[in-house]
Amino acid sequence: MRDYSEVTEQIAAVLDGEPNRTARLATIACLLNLAFEDYFWTGFYMVDPDKPDELVVGPYQGTLGCLRIAFGRGVCGTAAATRQTQLVEDVHAFPGHIACDAATNSEVVVPVFDGETLIGVLDVDSTKPAAFSDHDARALERIAAMVAC
Ligand code: SME
């Protein structure tokens, strides 16, 4: 079971006093990616203010991500459309999964809110099958809640 306590404290310390959203997103993606070596792709898809039913890629660490994902498509689009965390043990079995990188086998995607408003999703992918559990999902939900300030 991954221990998120140190990285959560580190994120809180670095973000303290920084109001810029891009800086906050980039810092979270970087520190999470550094904390866990089996995180293969770590980052954000944000709701496009010009197309509110579409996600556009935000700060991330990893291989090239797709630029845009429609609400309801793939794991990220499902998390956005349902506003619910998606924990996927085998992405190849997930209807409509978007294979930005074929090396990904499992992923967890948690919605990111500012108050009641959905502003994006935090997506973590692994090359290992079933790499994430409810424990990861809950810890990442807590970290996603640190985006808004
Ligand atoms: N796998 C995601 C797409 C984004 S990337 O993997 C970086 C999905 O199906 O939502």
Side-chain angles (χ1 to χ4, degrees):
M1 207 155 70
R2 295 180 188 87
D3 182 357
Y4 284 85
S5 51
E6 199 175 320
V7 70
T8 304
E9 277 175 30
Q10 207 183 0
I11 289 169
V14 178
L15 295 189
D16 187 36
E18 177 51 67
N20 182 272
R21 183 156 289 162
T22 304
R24 297 178 74 82
L25 296 168
T27 298
I28 293 171
C30 176
L31 291 177
L32 274 176
N33 188 64
L34 285 174
F36 303 111
E37 61 180 27
D38 62 339
Y39 271 31
F40 173 68
W41 197 96
T42 313
F44 293 92
Y45 281 90
M46 304 306 289
V47 179
D48 184 346
D50 298 325
K51 293 183 180 174
D53 56 353
E54 214 167 280
L55 297 166
V56 60
V57 76
Y60 69 94
Q61 303 268 315
T63 56
L64 182 67
C66 313
L67 298 195
R68 288 179 176 274
I69 299 175
F71 271 44
R73 284 213 55 220
V75 185
C76 292
T78 302
T82 61
R83 299 163 64 100
Q84 303 275 328
T85 293
Q86 304 293 309
L87 187 57
V88 182
E89 294 194 346
D90 174 7
V91 295
H92 308 291
F94 190 92
H97 168 248
I98 303 160
C100 294
D101 191 315
T104 291
N105 280 307
S106 61
E107 65 183 271
V108 55
V109 180
V110 311
V112 181
F113 297 99
D114 183 355
E116 295 290 303
T117 307
L118 179 86
I119 56 169
V121 299
L122 169 58
D123 177 12
V124 182
D125 299 355
S126 175
T127 57
K128 296 181 190 159
F132 306 104
S133 66
D134 281 335
H135 168 74
D136 297 284
R138 298 297 88 77
L140 291 169
E141 284 167 356
R142 282 193 290 277
I143 288 170
M146 296 161 78
V147 169
C149 61

